Amino acid sequence: MHTPVRQEGRRNLAASLGGWSARHRKTAVFGWLLFVVLATVIGGAAGQRNLTDAQQGTGDSARALQILQDAHISQPAGEMVLVHSATQTTNDPQFRAAVQDAITAVQGTKLTQNLRDPYSAGLISADKHSALIEFDMTGEATSAADRVQPVMDAVAKVGSAHPGIAVSEFGEASANHWFNNTLGKDFKHAEWTAVPLALGILLIAFGALLAAILPVLLALTAFMAAIGLLAVASHFSPVDSSANSVMLLMGLAVGVDYCLFYLRREREERAVGKDKETALRIAAATSGRSVLVSGLTVMVAMAGMFLSGMHIFEGFAVATILVVAIAMLGSVTVLPALLSMLGDKVEFGRLPGAKRRRARRAQKAAAGGGRVWNATLGKVAAHPRAALLGATGFLVLLAGPAFGMHTEKLTVDQQVPQNIPIVQTYQQIARTFPGGPAPAVVVVKTSDIKGSATQNAINQFEQAALRTGELGDPKTGNPIRVLLYPSANVAQIQVPLEGNGTDATSLHALDTLRGQVVPQTLGKLPGAQVAVGGQLAFGVDFNAQLHHSIVPVFAFVLAITFLLMLVAFRSPVIAITAILLNLLSVGAAYGVMTAIFQHGWGAGLVHSQVPGAIESWLPLFVFVVLFGLSMDYHVFVVSRIKEAREHGMSTERAVMHGLRSAAGAVTSAAVIMVAVFGVFGTLSMQDFKQLGVGLAVAVALDATVIRVLLLPAVMILLGERNWPRSLRRSVPVAEAPSAAGTLVPAQGEYVAQHAPFGRLGRFGQPEAEDRPAVGMVGGRHGAPVRFGDLGDDGQP
């Protein structure tokens, strides 16, 4: 006759860390505070080093930027003033007067240079109703946004003085000025909304102010420390400026979740009568272990971005790995120390009625969970095949639009709301002067830029480009512009592209430029370096590199996730199941993003315009983030199921018991994640809106359809095949039902009374030398139950 599987006593790292922290409470708490302060101060002193324009891109467009950067050519911030009238032409006196006033006003600010009069430069539209004044801002382009306000005010004043004639401005400095102001407000809004939201949800979950504050404080301090360390790391590997926002997103999500899982388990153990030390021991050995496995999985998944071959993703990887590692460390060290210090004082600030609600929750837990969870899980257990087919079909249906996903580097008018004046000016310039706002940029470096051979090649290039009919047209106010830098032997040639800058017409023009015109002219210069850049070229090269690197990144994440799950649960079946369920979740998120932001289905529900494409970097980033975050729930839930199975339950009952035990924590954690990600979905920038909506939808699906329907259905159908052979050999203990139909504990609580702190096995059990022998008590029909083998809620 087989007996229940014997858990071999092995030291649990999470239990050891929790035990050390509880025994050295002051060291753990003040050590954490010192670490956060030092990281913040050192990071502030070092300053963050951001990627250069050349480092942000890849391919030919990045080489063009690198040539200019190596030549120390400071590109001024270019600006344009559009003068337009629907009734007057550029030859009318009133129109000419408006143009002249605009030129005078711009020059009067003493902040501009290289101004081009539209009448002498040929910047007149084909219909003679628009003129374009071009100029550059003085000083460094990086700070031009901070100095452009007087120029914008001068242009606005001219527009007010000429009724019936529209005078508006767009350019690098003015656009960045708007972006900086808007993004600053947006992220302040996100910070001041996400943190109170998380706090409010935790307050409802725990019913006490101090218990709710602890996870938020630990998440915020982890974020602060990570920001400081990221600044230091950026001096070795520069990061994109948006890495800080990504870090805030991830830090709040995982930091709060990890603390929630740990604290909730400790509170559960106290609620069933365990003393403070025992509750902490069990929380450390169970939820603490889940936090370590989950955190490691998230970090390894993020490491997949290093395989992209792109600096922006490498920066995201460093940022997310840092904040997850610090949040994980804080959850298994400083949190148990604080809980040991506070004890039941963690209930300080208890909400009115919280005690009654907790009693009701305890009654529900004693009865096997709440009505909704019981009803849902009961139907899944009764009809697992129907649940599997229905849930899978639903997710596949959601994923359908993803097969037609189109990605591109979103332009200004795609990124921000259409009612913004600066966007309307951009669109008007693009329509009137095609290719004007975002021309292709051909960069040439030779040994003698003024030499006859080079000059002949440049002339041949201009002639060949004009002959195509796609590249520059002086008749429509879009001449090709050549800028020479003799000291650096570099030439920069600005070539307007036919089309709106991103459509098929513009893409064809870019292909013509790269595939025909450049190779046949400038490409034949001996020893010359020639590269084609510009906004469209940047996006095309970025997309090409992503398509090339996405397969190795996906393969790495899938392989490493399988290995981590295999090590954690010793079951290839559980590892494969985790991967398949996560792929369904990611596919559904892709499908929803494509449906909303590419096709416009339901875009009004998230108050979004329809850019017609997904931002280039999002699919890869969303994949690694979701694959990592999904492990939070999967590891936590499956660990509870495996605990129950190791204590003698049948697989079906272990699945039901584990899910019911984890229901409260998973629900609270999911609501917090959805809320935090949802806040980012309200930002003005389209890429962050897409990111927030995609992640929020994925987490919501993961915590409901995946964990409540698919996971139990799959595990019930697989039965004993879920487990390693050592666990399959055990005979499930026949549980004695109570009046409520739940399990009745077997004899004693050996773990609670006798196990020394830090001497617990993998699932909260005492080490082998502390564990009593198997006895024949508590089971139906004399089924064997080991003394001291207690489950999540004290059950055998």
Side-chain angles (χ1 to χ4, degrees), residues 434-435 469-473 476 496-507 509:
E470 300 179 87
L471 306 169
D473 187 354
T476 59
L497 301 172
E498 191 70 18
N500 67 5
T502 60
D503 60 9
T505 302
S506 297
L507 287 169

Side-chain angles (χ1 to χ4, degrees), residues 488-572:
N489 282 317
V490 170
Q492 184 186 49
I493 309 172
Q494 297 178 0
V495 185
L497 301 172
E498 191 70 18
N500 67 5
T502 60
D503 60 9
T505 302
S506 297
L507 287 169
H508 188 273
L510 180 64
D511 288 342
T512 301
L513 176 64
R514 283 179 157 177
Q516 299 177 27
V517 179
V518 169
Q520 294 170 5
T521 56
L522 298 171
K524 294 182 178 180
L525 273 174
Q529 297 180 47
V530 185
V532 179
Q535 181 174 292
L536 181 59
F538 183 97
V540 169
D541 293 341
F542 197 95
N543 260 351
Q545 178 62 29
L546 276 178
H547 290 154
H548 175 72
S549 62
I550 201 165
V551 171
V553 171
F554 278 30
F556 172 82
V557 173
L558 293 175
I560 208 70
T561 300
F562 174 82
L563 291 175
L564 284 172
M565 290 297 99
L566 187 61
V567 170
F569 296 104
R570 295 182 172 84
S571 167

Side-chain angles (χ1 to χ4, degrees), residues 35-266:
F35 163 67
V36 172
V37 170
L38 285 177
T40 304
V41 171
I42 293 173
Q48 185 168 298
R49 186 181 168 206
N50 292 330
L51 295 171
T52 64
D53 291 340
Q55 290 172 326
Q56 287 181 331
T58 185
D60 202 37
S61 56
R63 285 192 290 273
L65 291 168
Q66 192 65 53
I67 292 171
L68 296 174
Q69 183 178 310
D70 292 343
H72 303 290
I73 295 173
S74 178
Q75 290 288 96
E79 290 289 302
M80 293 172 282
V81 172
L82 176 67
V83 183
H84 171 77
S85 174
T87 58
Q88 300 182 43
T89 67
T90 55
N91 293 325
D92 290 339
Q94 295 91 338
F95 196 103
R96 282 182 172 272
V99 172
Q100 187 56 51
D101 286 351
I103 291 173
T104 302
V106 167
Q107 290 177 328
T109 63
K110 308 296 184 184
L111 295 171
T112 64
Q113 60 184 349
N114 305 327
L115 188 142
R116 303 176 72 199
D117 188 307
Y119 292 100
S120 59
L123 298 173
I124 304 297
S125 65
D127 63 3
K128 307 296 184 184
H129 283 283
S130 300
L132 196 62
I133 305 168
E134 294 185 341
F135 59 90
D136 296 325
M137 293 291 296
T138 56
E140 292 292 329
T142 53
S143 61
D146 301 325
R147 295 177 280 105
V148 75
Q149 188 64 55
V151 181
M152 296 170 65
D153 293 339
V155 171
K157 189 174 180 180
V158 172
S160 300
H162 292 272
I165 298 177
V167 182
S168 55
E169 181 177 356
F170 173 83
E172 181 181 343
S174 53
N176 285 337
H177 177 80
W178 184 90
F179 281 132
N180 293 343
N181 289 343
T182 303
L183 286 177
K185 293 176 184 176
D186 271 359
F187 287 121
K188 283 181 182 178
H189 164 75
E191 292 167 10
W192 287 104
T193 304
V195 173
L197 262 178
L199 184 60
I201 295 165
L202 287 168
L203 193 58
I204 295 172
F206 289 115
L209 182 62
L210 186 54
I213 287 175
L214 281 181
V216 175
L217 281 180
L218 282 172
L220 289 177
T221 52
F223 169 67
M224 291 168 58
I227 284 286
L229 294 183
L230 180 65
V232 175
S234 70
H235 288 269
F236 301 95
S237 178
V239 298
D240 186 75
S241 57
S242 59
N244 293 348
S245 305
V246 171
M247 183 180 280
L248 172 64
L249 188 77
M250 292 295 296
L252 275 177
V254 302
V256 170
D257 272 11
Y258 292 164
C259 293
L260 171 65
F261 291 156
Y262 204 110
L263 182 56
R264 185 119 187 179
R265 183 63 183 262
E266 189 270 347

Side-chain angles (χ1 to χ4, degrees), residues 597-656:
F597 299 107
Q598 186 172 318
H599 301 301
W601 303 338
L605 297 176
V606 295
H607 304 287
S608 174
Q609 65 189 56
V610 183
I614 304 300
E615 172 63 37
S616 296
W617 59 271
L618 280 179
L620 187 148
F621 183 75
V622 166
F623 174 81
V624 295
V625 169
L626 287 182
F627 234 84
L629 292 182
S630 293
M631 286 302 135
D632 279 354
Y633 304 135
H634 197 81
V635 170
F636 185 67
V637 171
V638 176
S639 292
R640 298 295 288 258
I641 294 171
K642 190 164 187 274
E643 283 181 56
R645 179 66 188 85
E646 288 189 324
H647 294 144
M649 290 186 187
S650 66
T651 295
E652 181 175 333
R653 288 190 64 84
V655 169
M656 308 301 281

Side-chain angles (χ1 to χ4, degrees), residues 684-709:
S684 301
M685 293 289 287
Q686 184 67 211
D687 51 1
F688 281 107
K689 186 180 289 289
Q690 293 180 1
L691 176 64
V693 170
L695 292 179
V697 167
V699 171
L701 290 173
D702 192 271
T704 54
V705 179
I706 299 287
R707 304 302 155 204
V708 181
L709 299 177

